[in-house]
Amino acid sequence: MIPGYTVRDNWLYLNGEMVSVKRSPNHGNVEMVPELIVVHYTASDGLQGTIDWLCKPQGSQSVSAHLVVARTGTVWQLVKFNQAAWHAGQSEWNGRRFCNNFSIGIENMGWGKDWPEEQIKANIGIMQALLEAYPEINEIVGHEDIAPGRKQDPGALYPWDRVYDELGFK
């Protein structure tokens, strides 16, 4: 069964309760309208270390993401959905550069070698909620798609067919 996520006021909720939150200072200050979802993997198995790293100011090397999804399906939100998180780096999609300015980044714990069922269910539930909350979102892609040659996540084993099927997405 896919978890029941919803979005209210640019925050993610699961069954009416806000998911765990640790606010990252690493984000843009101008409000944005999400048009794209970008799926990543963390290249790490340590949840707390990943969250701490995505919330640590590191000058021009600062990074963040909107969400971190543990392999168990537990979700943490670090940046509001209407703020640009710094997850995409040098990126381009459909001729538009700087994907951070119009995308939501979902970081998944792991190395892309396997995708636990609970993590995939969480991804699908989150994406359903985002598509409902932000009708401007018209595509879901991997980091490798917006930064080809530079990034390889979420990798060949991410179950795109299943995700797109369950979302009724192209």
Side-chain angles (χ1 to χ4, degrees), residues 32-45:
M32 66 118 176
V33 176
E35 299 174 38
L36 180 69
I37 296 171
V38 180
V39 179
H40 304 262
Y41 65 64
T42 61
S44 167
D45 289 322

Side-chain angles (χ1 to χ4, degrees), residues 78-160:
L78 309 180
V79 178
K80 289 176 69 171
F81 295 130
N82 66 339
Q83 293 177 308
W86 299 334
H87 60 94
Q90 292 297 320
S91 54
E92 182 177 328
W93 186 249
N94 288 338
R96 292 176 68 190
R97 296 179 63 207
F98 309 114
C99 295
N100 289 335
N101 295 332
F102 59 94
S103 67
I104 291 175
I106 301 173
E107 286 280 358
N108 288 279
M109 295 304 305
W111 298 83
K113 295 176 184 170
D114 65 327
W115 292 91
E117 182 66 14
E118 294 308 311
Q119 191 173 44
I120 293 306
K121 287 179 182 178
N123 272 246
I124 292 167
I126 290 164
M127 290 174 192
Q128 286 173 333
L130 292 172
L131 290 167
E132 186 174 310
Y134 303 103
E136 297 86 355
I137 295 175
N138 55 31
E139 294 184 279
I140 302 168
V141 299
H143 198 185
E144 62 200 352
D145 299 313
I146 63 170
R150 189 174 68 82
K151 294 295 180 177
Q152 59 187 20
D153 54 310
L157 298 179
Y158 189 78
W160 286 111

